[in-house]
Amino acid sequence: MRSKSLIVGSAAVFAVLYLAATTALGKPPAADASSATTTTWLAGHEGHVRTFAWLLVIGLPFFCAASAGLRLWLPSGWRDVYFAGAIAFVVETAIQCWLWGALAFAPATGSPSTPLVFHIALFWGPVLTSATLAMLVPLAVVGLGDHGWPRWMGVLAGVAALEQAIETTTVFGHHGFMAPGGAMNLYLGAGLTAVALFGAVVAVAVMPAPAAAETT
């Protein structure tokens, strides 16, 4: 599982599928959108929503493979924190797919529960910060410490972790940039986290194997 080609290849496939999924979904309604606006949007984007969920579903196994492989390059202790975050990311993303799938199942019915389910789905971003922080903090510590990892990787992970820590406050947002499912979640946070995590994959690809790497 420590194979560089497996880690890089799996990460690349997941990155492509994740980007395709977010592109397919497009820009959903804002957190403070009316029930009518939300229902109308869902009725016009049912196929896009299902495609979004499907692409994430087939992408998550590649994320698992990349995370399991990268874990083995991290020192004992930090590797487990990182992997716990990766597992939480998978679980929370799977739940997100269930919610969006439910919203797309019969979007034109205008069910009274639609706004509630939609708002639950939007809180994926604020809650996901706990999982990404569990992944980014170990990478920052390892990269900035004396562990043989490139310092630039530690800086990237540190910047992304700081942003994610601030982004936890979107739990309290209601509209605009700081709202759940707003630009801070979907663009700034997601972008920085993606760059940092893929930076870790690049670091693995260019550095030599740990001299005494553990296999458990």
Side-chain angles (χ1 to χ4, degrees):
M1 285 297 293
R2 199 181 289 113
S3 166
K4 291 185 178 183
S5 59
L6 173 64
I7 296 170
V8 175
S10 297
V13 172
F14 174 73
V16 170
L17 291 173
Y18 188 90
L19 179 61
T22 55
T23 301
L25 181 64
K27 185 178 180 180
D32 57 353
S34 67
S35 298
T37 298
T38 301
T39 301
T40 300
W41 186 89
L42 287 168
H45 294 78
E46 176 187 359
H48 295 170
V49 172
R50 289 173 182 257
T51 300
F52 163 78
W54 177 68
L55 289 170
L56 286 181
V57 167
I58 63 175
L60 284 177
F62 292 97
F63 177 83
C64 292
S67 298
L70 196 151
R71 169 188 175 272
L72 297 178
W73 286 70
L74 295 170
S76 179
W78 287 116
R79 66 174 58 176
D80 296 325
V81 177
Y82 168 87
F83 200 53
I87 293 172
F89 180 95
V90 171
V91 172
E92 292 175 24
T93 303
I95 294 173
Q96 173 77 341
C97 291
W98 293 343
L99 295 172
W100 277 109
L103 288 168
F105 189 71
T109 61
S111 170
S113 63
T114 295
L116 175 60
V117 177
F118 176 69
H119 286 136
I120 294 173
L122 290 184
F123 269 87
W124 177 51
V127 176
L128 196 67
T129 55
S130 61
T132 52
L133 278 169
M135 299 176 71
L136 292 168
V137 170
L139 294 176
V141 171
V142 171
L144 295 175
D146 186 20
H147 298 281
W149 284 67
R151 188 161 296 272
W152 58 262
M153 189 279 297
V155 172
L156 280 179
V159 170
L162 176 61
E163 188 281 334
Q164 289 290 281
I166 297 172
E167 190 176 314
T168 60
T169 60
T170 57
V171 168
F172 303 102
H174 289 87
H175 55 81
F177 181 76
M178 294 287 291
M184 191 174 193
N185 289 160
L186 296 181
Y187 303 115
L188 179 61
L192 286 175
T193 299
V195 169
L197 293 180
F198 204 75
V201 173
V202 173
V204 166
V206 300
M207 68 183 188
E214 300 175 30
T215 58
T216 60

